[in-house]
């Protein structure tokens, strides 16, 4: 998702073909908004010939991929049957675009979701005014420093995402995948679909932890939570039905695409 020139997409497809072609029908789809890059990468894939027949790039947005041919009742809860999506990868999808990618994987019932987030702006915009007025906050002496608020926003954002993925019945790991000397955006979130559904008690505990973490940092809105219909704030809305946001048409203009064709 958001594959750009497709360096990672080409490399991963080549690896999967070399390792699993005798066992599985390997098909890879790179999703990219810019038509010029899509045309360029498709041309390269065609020139590479045998082994890359199953690799194609499609012009579109994360929202289009989520909604294309979706069975709302099942995919909404990550229980889609006969889905074509086994592994979803998004590298450095900016700010809430990472949440859109995570939701795409959850909704399609992907077996594995791998993301490397960047630009954690959504939570930072809520953390700054909250800490400014919460003078007695237990971390006030830490978060009065701008650099620590930036790091905390990143940490809290990805921790909320991890909890939400667990609520969606994934086993989650968050770790450093490359040294800081190469990039400061070196955190990776991996989620593997659990074979056994979590119990109601386990889900209730996860939701309470989600709410507590959000409350401690003044977070009342989070994109992945909105997509999932989960509440991060204890404040109750007059409208009891959760509203799913429309992805910004300014940032990701609509374009119909079925990436699996």
């Amino acid at each position: 998702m958001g594959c750009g020139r497709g360096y990672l997409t080409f490399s991963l497809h080549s690896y999967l073909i070399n390792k699993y072609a005798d066992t599985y029908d390997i098909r890879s789809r790179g999703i990219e908004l810019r038509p010029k890059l899509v045309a360029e990468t498709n041309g390269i894939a065609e020139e590479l010939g045998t082994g890359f027949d199953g690799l194609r790039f499609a012009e579109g947005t994360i929202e289009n991929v989520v909604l294309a041919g979706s069975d709302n009742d099942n995919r909404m809860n990550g229980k889609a049957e006969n889905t074509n999506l086994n592994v979803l990868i998004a590298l450095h999808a900016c700010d809430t675009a990472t949440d859109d990618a995570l939701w795409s994987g959850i909704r399609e019932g992907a077996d594995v979701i791998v993301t490397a987030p960047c630009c954690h702006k959504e939570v930072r915009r809520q953390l700054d005014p909250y800490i400014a007025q919460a003078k007695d906050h237990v971390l006030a002496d830490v978060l009065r420093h701008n650099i620590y608020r930036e790091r905390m926003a990143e940490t809290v954002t990805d921790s909320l995402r991890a909890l939400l993925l667990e609520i969606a019945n994934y086993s989650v790991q968050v770790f450093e995948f490359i040294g800081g000397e190469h990039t400061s955006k070196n955190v990776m979130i991996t989620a593997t679909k659990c074979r056994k559904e979590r119990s109601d008690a386990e889900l209730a505990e996860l939701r309470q932890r989600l709410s507590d973490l959000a409350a401690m940092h003044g977070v009342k809105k989070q994109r992945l939570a909105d997509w999932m219909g989960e509440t991060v704030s204890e404040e109750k809305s007059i409208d009891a039905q959760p509203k799913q946001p429309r992805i910004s048409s300014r940032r990701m203009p609509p374009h119909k695409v079925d990436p699996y064709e």
Side-chain angles (χ1 to χ4, degrees), residues 82-239:
N82 300 320
T83 178
N84 289 310
L85 183 62
N86 301 108
V87 179
L88 181 142
I89 299 176
L91 178 65
H92 292 165
C94 187
D95 195 21
T96 57
T98 290
D99 298 294
D100 300 335
L102 289 171
W103 172 241
S104 178
I106 292 171
R107 186 169 186 174
E108 291 290 330
D111 299 315
V112 178
I113 302 173
V114 180
T115 62
C118 76
C119 305
H120 304 67
K121 299 176 182 178
E122 183 185 39
V123 165
R124 178 64 188 272
R125 286 192 291 266
Q126 299 174 74
L127 179 63
D128 281 349
Y130 177 71
I131 293 301
Q133 58 86 27
K135 304 297 185 181
D136 59 346
H137 193 281
V138 66
L139 295 177
D141 284 327
V142 175
L143 297 177
R144 66 191 177 95
H145 301 291
N146 185 64
I147 183 63
Y148 290 141
R149 286 203 305 277
E150 179 181 350
R151 293 176 181 176
M152 185 62 74
E154 295 177 0
T155 300
V156 171
T157 299
D158 291 337
S159 297
L160 291 172
R161 287 166 173 164
L163 285 167
L164 287 162
L165 283 163
E166 289 177 321
I167 290 171
N169 207 44
Y170 282 84
S171 175
V172 183
Q173 288 185 307
V174 182
F175 57 93
E176 179 182 280
F177 71 96
I178 193 170
E181 66 271 19
H182 299 290
T183 175
S184 60
K185 308 300 182 183
N186 60 350
V187 171
M188 179 170 286
I189 302 174
T190 63
T192 306
K193 192 73 172 175
C194 297
R195 294 185 179 181
K196 182 182 177 181
E197 296 283 339
R198 287 191 168 88
S199 67
D200 290 343
E202 289 173 323
L203 290 174
E205 180 191 2
L206 286 169
R207 289 186 171 105
Q208 185 60 56
R209 287 161 55 190
L210 176 75
S211 178
D212 290 345
L213 179 60
M216 184 178 182
H217 298 89
V219 179
K220 297 181 179 180
K221 185 176 181 61
Q222 202 280 332
R223 173 62 73 87
L224 181 57
D226 287 347
W227 277 123
M228 293 174 59
E230 295 290 336
T231 301
V232 295
S233 172
E234 291 293 342
E235 295 181 4
K236 302 299 182 181
S237 170
I238 296 176
D239 183 357

Side-chain angles (χ1 to χ4, degrees), residues 9 72 191:
T9 312
N72 289 334

Side-chain angles (χ1 to χ4, degrees), residues 37 48 93 95 179 240:
L37 289 182
L48 289 172
D95 195 21

